[in-house]
């Protein structure tokens, strides 16, 4: 059996043709493919606006900049996430406060967040960064009501969940990142994600002011719109109007742009996103049946309405033994994630073992099984058989 990783990109001849066509065009960056990708992605997600950026971490950083996170402002997030979900707050000198996870969903626990907010005067916290971990959608309707009560913004980290959704109190499907409850949402186009562009990311929002702020911060804080200029026409070198070359840097922004050939790859991948999502859900259903009622399984992702299945997770006894056994079979499962609050960087702020008992217990048992659309039925059965073999 060939190597079976936990995740893998799927690059088709159509993807390659799309990239080659763009490489042959007049634009490699800052060209028309960027806006085309942004509009198509916003339409897919259901948001008003989308801003393509260099990667998911850049997307998070731009969000905290656009929301004007300042030194020592407190922002709440989950410890079970990739570090970037927390680091974006630190980039702005803000303070990260972790809230434990719900052991059933693996998502940030609403009750834990509410407890934190109730324990401090209003104004203590500035925002919440919930994460659609593994592809399971956070119920943002509940979090929006809580955020409004405490005057907080929400950044939804949807890197794992394009195409995912939760069902709101009115029975309506709410797509991850659609902007109906979060101020901003972010996505990643890393190769193991649903839509791959090599590297790349997207910010979605329904807030026009935030949208324009993101566009400005993405490109060094530079504006090129005459309506936004603050220097005079005379200074700019014009007579009755600003010359065409003129631009102004009005904020300290960054170069977080995506290239046109990456956007072309993203567009091509987006065209079959629903097909990939359907396959992921089929794989999840097969895993659920294979591990249902097994004594060695403490928990698993299961079949959940709206789950996008970037990951399929088992919680097991003797996780290290299973991990090493699978590697002998060329099955390269992965662990998602080491609790962020126990990374050495965050320990320096006083976080310690025992602070997040649910997250820490989850980490002792979790393992992410191979999950990607091109995983064959034969390969998946080999994974399942190999796991049963270890415990039998």
């Amino acid at each position: 059996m060939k190597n079976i990783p936990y995740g893998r990109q799927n690059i088709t001849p159509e993807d390659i043709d799309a990239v080659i066509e763009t490489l042959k065009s007049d634009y490699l960056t800052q060209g028309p493919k960027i806006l085309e990708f942004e509009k198509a992605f916003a339409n897919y997600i259901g948001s008003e606006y989308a801003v393509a950026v260099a990667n998911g971490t850049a997307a998070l950083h731009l969000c905290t900049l656009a929301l004007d996170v300042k030194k020592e402002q407190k922002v709440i997030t989950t410890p079970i996430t990739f570090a970037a979900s927390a680091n974006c707050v630190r980039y702005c000198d803000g303070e990260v406060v972790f809230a434990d996870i719900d052991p059933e969903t693996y998502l940030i626990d609403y009750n834990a967040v509410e407890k934190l907010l109730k324990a401090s005067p209003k104004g203590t916290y500035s925002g919440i960064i919930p994460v659609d971990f593994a592809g399971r959608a956070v119920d943002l309707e509940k979090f929006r009501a809580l955020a409004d009560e405490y005057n907080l913004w929400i950044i939804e980290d949807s890197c794992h969940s394009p195409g995912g959704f939760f069902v709101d109190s009115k029975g309506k499907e709410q797509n991850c990142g659609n902007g109906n409850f979060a101020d901003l949402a972010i996505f990643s186009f890393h190769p193991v994600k649903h839509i791959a562009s090599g590297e790349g990311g997207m910010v979605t929002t329904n807030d026009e002011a935030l949208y324009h702020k993101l566009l400005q911060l993405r490109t060094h804080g530079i504006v090129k719109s005459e309506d936004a200029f603050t220097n005079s026409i005379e200074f700019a070198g014009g007579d009755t109007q600003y010359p065409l070359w003129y631009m102004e840097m009005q904020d300290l922004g960054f170069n977080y742009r995506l290239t046109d050939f990456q956007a072309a790859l993203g567009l091509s991948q987006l065209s079959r996103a629903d097909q990939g999502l359907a396959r992921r859900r089929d794989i999840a259903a097969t895993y659920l049946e294979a591990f249902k009622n097994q004594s060695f399984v403490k928990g698993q992702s299961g079949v959940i309405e709206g789950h996008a299945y970037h990951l399929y997770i088992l919680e097991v006894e003797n996780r290290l033994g299973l991990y090493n056994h699978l590697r002998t079979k060329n099955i390269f499962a992965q662990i998602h994630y080491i609790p962020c609050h126990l990374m050495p960087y965050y320990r320096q702020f006083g976080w310690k073992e025992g602070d997040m008992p649910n997250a820490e217990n989850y980490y002792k048992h979790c393992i992410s099984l191979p999950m990607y659309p091109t995983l064959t039925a034969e390969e998946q059965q080999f994974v399942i058989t190999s796991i049963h073999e270890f415990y039998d």
Side-chain angles (χ1 to χ4, degrees):
M1 183 66 67
K2 66 181 181 181
N3 288 353
I4 304 176
Y6 87 90
R8 172 181 277 153
Q9 72 269 23
N10 177 28
I11 302 300
T12 67
E14 291 78 14
D15 292 338
I16 294 168
D17 288 344
V19 172
I20 290 172
E21 181 182 355
T22 302
L23 288 171
K24 291 179 177 179
S25 74
D26 292 335
Y27 293 94
L28 295 186
T29 189
Q30 301 186 76
K33 280 295 176 186
I34 304 298
L35 185 59
E36 186 181 346
F37 186 29
E38 289 170 339
K39 287 182 175 180
F41 191 82
N43 182 64
Y44 177 70
I45 295 299
S47 64
E48 290 290 328
Y49 307 103
V51 178
V53 296
N55 51 61
T57 301
L60 283 162
H61 188 198
L62 287 176
C63 287
T64 53
L65 289 170
L67 292 167
D68 201 25
V69 174
K70 291 184 170 62
K71 188 173 183 178
E72 298 181 352
Q73 284 186 340
K74 293 184 177 183
V75 176
I76 300 169
T77 194
T78 171
I80 299 300
T81 185
F82 185 62
S85 307
N87 293 351
C88 62
V89 177
R90 294 296 304 136
Y91 296 156
C92 299
D93 288 328
E95 180 181 341
V96 179
V97 179
F98 295 99
D100 210 352
I101 64 167
D102 180 331
E104 298 299 317
T105 66
Y106 311 146
L107 304 177
I108 191 169
D109 187 344
Y110 173 90
N111 294 321
V113 174
E114 185 179 39
K115 183 178 178 181
L116 277 173
L117 294 173
K118 285 184 173 180
S120 302
K122 285 189 177 180
T124 300
Y125 294 92
S126 298
I128 311 170
I129 305 178
V131 178
D132 298 321
F133 172 64
R136 184 166 183 165
V138 174
D139 184 344
L140 285 182
E141 184 179 27
K142 287 179 63 177
F143 276 95
R144 182 73 265 169
L146 189 63
D148 287 346
E149 182 181 351
Y150 288 88
N151 193 29
L152 309 177
W153 47 255
I154 296 175
I155 299 171
E156 180 185 6
D157 185 333
S158 302
C159 282
H160 291 181
S161 61
F165 63 86
F166 73 93
V167 178
D168 68 17
S169 60
K170 297 178 180 178
K172 182 179 179 181
E173 293 180 4
Q174 295 288 346
N175 291 343
C176 297
N178 68 6
N180 289 341
F181 300 101
D183 299 84
L184 296 159
I186 69 102
F187 296 85
S188 168
F189 305 131
H190 183 276
V192 297
K193 300 299 197 302
H194 292 57
I195 298 163
S197 65
E199 290 285 357
M202 193 77 77
V203 184
T204 56
T205 186
N206 290 345
D207 186 314
E208 185 177 5
L210 286 174
Y211 168 66
H212 289 293
K213 188 71 171 176
L214 291 164
L215 291 175
Q216 182 179 344
L217 290 168
R218 176 179 68 178
T219 308
H220 302 284
I222 289 172
V223 297
K224 297 182 179 181
S225 171
E226 183 172 331
D227 294 340
F229 292 154
T230 59
N231 284 331
S232 68
I233 291 174
E234 292 74 23
F235 169 81
D239 41 30
T240 60
Q241 61 184 23
Y242 288 94
L244 294 178
W245 72 73
Y246 188 68
M247 62 182 183
E248 290 183 357
M249 176 187 158
Q250 296 183 348
D251 270 306
L252 184 60
F254 293 81
N255 181 357
Y256 280 164
R257 296 189 298 260
L258 191 70
T259 66
D260 274 56
F261 51 89
Q262 287 174 300
L265 177 55
L267 267 167
S268 182
Q269 294 250 316
L270 181 61
S271 69
R272 61 179 189 279
D274 285 340
Q275 177 184 337
L277 185 58
R279 175 62 186 140
R280 287 176 182 271
R281 288 172 173 161
D282 287 343
I283 292 169
T286 300
Y287 278 141
L288 175 62
E289 287 303 310
F291 299 118
K292 192 164 55 178
N293 302 322
Q294 297 297 313
S295 59
F296 61 85
V297 176
K298 297 173 63 65
Q300 59 176 316
S301 292
V303 172
I304 307 297
E305 185 178 24
H307 203 306
Y309 294 105
H310 169 57
L311 305 173
Y312 193 92
I313 294 162
L314 285 187
E315 291 181 272
V316 295
E317 298 291 355
N318 192 8
R319 189 261 310 273
L320 177 60
L322 175 61
Y323 176 86
N324 289 334
H325 170 73
L326 292 176
R327 289 179 72 86
T328 69
K329 304 284 188 178
N330 292 328
I331 299 167
F332 295 92
Q334 189 53 279
I335 309 302
H336 298 91
Y337 289 101
I338 302 166
C340 199
H341 70 291
L342 297 180
M343 290 292 186
Y345 176 81
Y346 284 101
R347 284 181 186 258
Q348 70 176 312
F349 299 109
W351 296 101
K352 60 187 184 303
E353 291 179 54
D355 285 343
M356 302 284 131
N358 292 339
E360 292 165 36
N361 183 64
Y362 162 84
Y363 170 60
K364 292 176 183 177
H365 302 283
C366 66
I367 186 166
S368 300
L369 304 185
M371 168 59 79
Y372 48 92
T374 56
L375 183 72
T376 67
E378 180 187 13
E379 289 168 335
Q380 186 179 16
Q381 189 56 53
F382 181 66
V383 172
I384 291 166
T385 300
S386 298
I387 293 172
H388 280 287
E389 173 186 277
F390 176 73
Y391 287 103
D392 288 344

